[in-house]
Amino acid sequence: MQHTLRSVRETVEGLWPLSGAEGWDAPGLLSGDPAAPVERILLAVDVVAATVDEAVDTGADLLLAHHPLLLRGVTSVAEDRYKGALLARLIRGGCALIAAHTNADVVADGTSAVLAARLGLTGTAPISPAPDGVTGIGRVGTLPEPTTLGALARALADLLPPTAGGVRAAGDYHQPVSRVAVCGGAGDSLLGSDPVRSADVYVTADLRHHPASEAREQAILGGGPALLDVSHWASEWLWLDTAADQLRAALPGVEVAVSDLRTDPWDFAILQ
C-alpha cells in the first residue's frame, strides 16, 4: 500500500488528535506536499540542525517531532535565521515536518503515561484530567513497592538517557516515597494541583527557582512532595518508541525510526 503525506497526517491526527492540544500550542503539519509518498519516518523530540540532518541524510520523507518548530510567532523564514535554514533544508531534502506536542501529552499512552509506566506506577490517573477522566496532562500513581527518594532518583537516572544535568532532587535522600506524580516536559504549572501536592514525590522537568522553592517550603509545613527535576528532552524521549510502534502498526510498509541523538541543550556541568 502506498502511503502519502496526506494519509500519514490523517493517521497521526487519529493517534494524537489536534483537539487535545492546548490553545497556545502549534502542532500539526508544518511543511510538505500532502500528495508526496511517505516510505520512511524519523521521530525526534526536537527540530534542530542535528535531527534535520539525520532525517535528510537517512532519506526520511517525514520528520515527526514532539516539539513544534514554529511554536512562537515568526515574521521571517530567511535562511540566515536558524528556523528558516532548517525549513529550507527539509524542503530541499524532500522531507516533510509534522509536530505532535500537547496533543501527544494528553492521550492515554502519551508522554507522561509512558514515563509513569516505565517507572512501574500502578493505578495511574491524569494529574489534570480531561472531561473523560482518562486522558489529560501528567500522571499520578503508586510504586509497586515503597522506596526512598534517593533510590527513585537513581532509578530515574538509569532509566532516562544521560544528560549533563542528570537528576536533581529536593528532599531527604532517605525519605520514603510511594505515591508518585510525573509530568514529562515542563511541569511546574502543576505544582499547586491537589494530585501533585498529595504525592510523596513529583517528577518533572524545567523546574524554576521560585516555584520549586515555594513548593519545598510548603512541603516543610507538611503540604507538598519532594521534587525530582530531570531533563526536559530525556523525560519525553522515552515516548518516541511507543509512538513509533503505534505508527508501524497503523502504517504497514512504512519504515519508522527513532532518533538517538541527544538534543538536550546542555553539554556539560561542573559540580561545586
Side-chain angles (χ1 to χ4, degrees):
M1 177 182 177
Q2 180 70 62
H3 296 281
T4 64
L5 180 58
R6 180 178 290 105
S7 64
V8 170
R9 178 186 185 181
E10 291 171 354
T11 296
V12 167
E13 294 179 2
L15 290 169
W16 309 294
L18 296 179
S19 59
E22 296 288 330
W24 50 262
D25 201 6
L29 178 65
L30 178 60
S31 65
D33 178 1
V38 174
E39 297 180 353
R40 188 175 194 276
I41 300 172
L42 178 68
L43 272 66
V45 174
D46 298 298
V47 185
V48 293
T51 53
V52 167
D53 286 346
E54 182 182 15
V56 173
D57 293 344
T58 59
D61 304 299
L62 169 64
L63 175 58
L64 176 58
H66 183 51
H67 293 149
L69 178 62
L70 301 184
L71 180 60
R72 304 286 181 255
V74 298
T75 58
S76 172
V77 289
E79 291 184 55
D80 61 351
R81 305 181 186 190
Y82 88 92
K83 292 186 179 183
L86 294 180
L87 278 173
R89 172 91 162 114
L90 287 168
I91 292 169
R92 291 194 181 102
C95 183
L97 178 60
I98 290 178
H101 193 207
T102 53
N103 52 315
D105 291 332
V106 300
V107 294
D109 43 13
T111 51
S112 296
V114 168
L115 179 56
R118 294 292 295 273
L119 285 172
L121 300 186
T122 61
T124 57
I127 293 173
S128 179
D132 62 12
V134 176
T135 61
I137 296 292
R139 292 295 185 272
V140 59
T142 304
L143 291 167
E145 295 182 2
T147 186
T148 64
L149 180 63
L152 181 61
R154 180 71 263 171
L156 266 172
D158 292 340
L159 171 65
L160 297 174
T163 59
V167 178
R168 300 190 300 174
D172 188 299
Y173 187 93
H174 299 287
Q175 73 181 80
V177 295
S178 179
R179 188 73 172 166
V180 180
V182 303
C183 181
D188 61 14
S189 63
L190 298 175
L191 278 167
S193 66
D194 288 340
V196 170
R197 291 189 59 179
S198 62
D200 299 316
V201 57
Y202 182 38
V203 180
T204 190
D206 293 348
L207 286 174
R208 295 171 294 160
H209 173 86
H210 290 295
S213 176
E214 291 173 6
R216 290 305 300 144
E217 291 300 305
Q218 182 62 44
I220 292 171
L221 295 177
L227 304 175
L228 291 177
D229 184 40
V230 301
S231 157
H232 188 131
W233 165 78
S235 71
E236 296 177 326
W237 183 83
L238 294 178
W239 167 76
L240 297 181
D241 278 332
T242 297
D245 286 341
Q246 292 176 298
L247 289 170
R248 292 183 189 112
L251 301 169
V254 174
E255 180 185 354
V256 182
V258 170
S259 176
D260 289 327
L261 297 177
R262 187 193 70 184
T263 56
D264 185 87
W266 305 108
D267 293 313
F268 62 90
I270 298 175
L271 300 181
Q272 295 174 299

